Amino acid sequence: LRVGSEPWSARPQAGAHVQAAPSAWLRAGAVHGARALASAAGGGDAHVQIRAAHEATRAAMSGGDYAGARASAERAVELCRAETGGRHPALASALNNLALAHKALGEHTHALPLYRESVRVYAESLGAHHASSLTARHNLALALRQAGQHAEALAEL
């Protein structure tokens, strides 16, 4: 943050004009903070661990650390399967995030089955017409199109 003439002040004064810090700085801080949270949550409540793994995945993705995002998303999937079973929106979200990380790394053959499972889990847990289910189907369709499977991609839309 920048407040007045003091750059990067942590506490803006009342009524002061606040400017955003450079996005790279924010992303680096978010990635570090999410990793610290995930590490600290390692021995705690399963729901806290799942949330920390989700946050670490998002932070790594936004920071361009796709391998780190893949590792965090794999942890989130593992935790969700153990805690929620196979039919919960948290699992569907974790699967979708893992697929996104694989896709960002160019690992399309790994991404497609994860997208398909995410679509299935969202449909079973929230219904086929829920916004999250439709978003997952859209993500699957984009991945299928990118893989050259145009007819199957159109069927998902």
Side-chain angles (χ1 to χ4, degrees):
L1 299 172
R2 172 171 268 193
V3 180
S5 63
E6 295 182 39
W8 313 112
S9 175
R11 300 186 74 188
Q13 297 171 358
H17 178 69
V18 178
Q19 296 175 336
S23 60
W25 181 80
L26 288 174
R27 282 193 305 268
V31 170
H32 174 74
R35 285 185 182 149
L37 178 61
S39 176
D45 177 66
H47 293 98
V48 173
Q49 291 181 43
I50 291 168
R51 181 180 294 252
H54 276 300
E55 291 303 319
T57 302
R58 285 188 195 103
M61 285 294 286
S62 70
D65 178 11
Y66 304 123
R70 180 182 57 201
S72 296
E74 286 170 346
R75 177 74 176 139
V77 168
E78 174 187 313
L79 289 166
C80 286
R81 286 192 199 281
E83 182 66 19
T84 67
R87 195 176 160 202
H88 193 278
L91 173 61
S93 177
L95 290 163
N96 188 68
N97 290 341
L98 180 55
L100 286 169
H102 278 294
K103 184 178 167 194
L105 288 166
E107 301 167 348
H108 301 287
T109 57
H110 295 290
L112 286 172
L114 295 165
Y115 279 127
R116 285 187 179 101
E117 187 177 359
S118 175
V119 167
R120 180 188 59 76
V121 173
Y122 269 131
E124 288 175 0
S125 60
L126 299 175
H129 299 291
H130 188 277
S132 295
S133 298
L134 297 173
T135 299
R137 286 186 65 193
H138 178 77
N139 290 344
L140 173 59
L142 290 175
L144 287 165
R145 187 186 70 159
Q146 212 169 24
Q149 299 176 26
H150 301 289
E152 194 175 346
L154 283 174
E156 289 297 327
L157 297 176

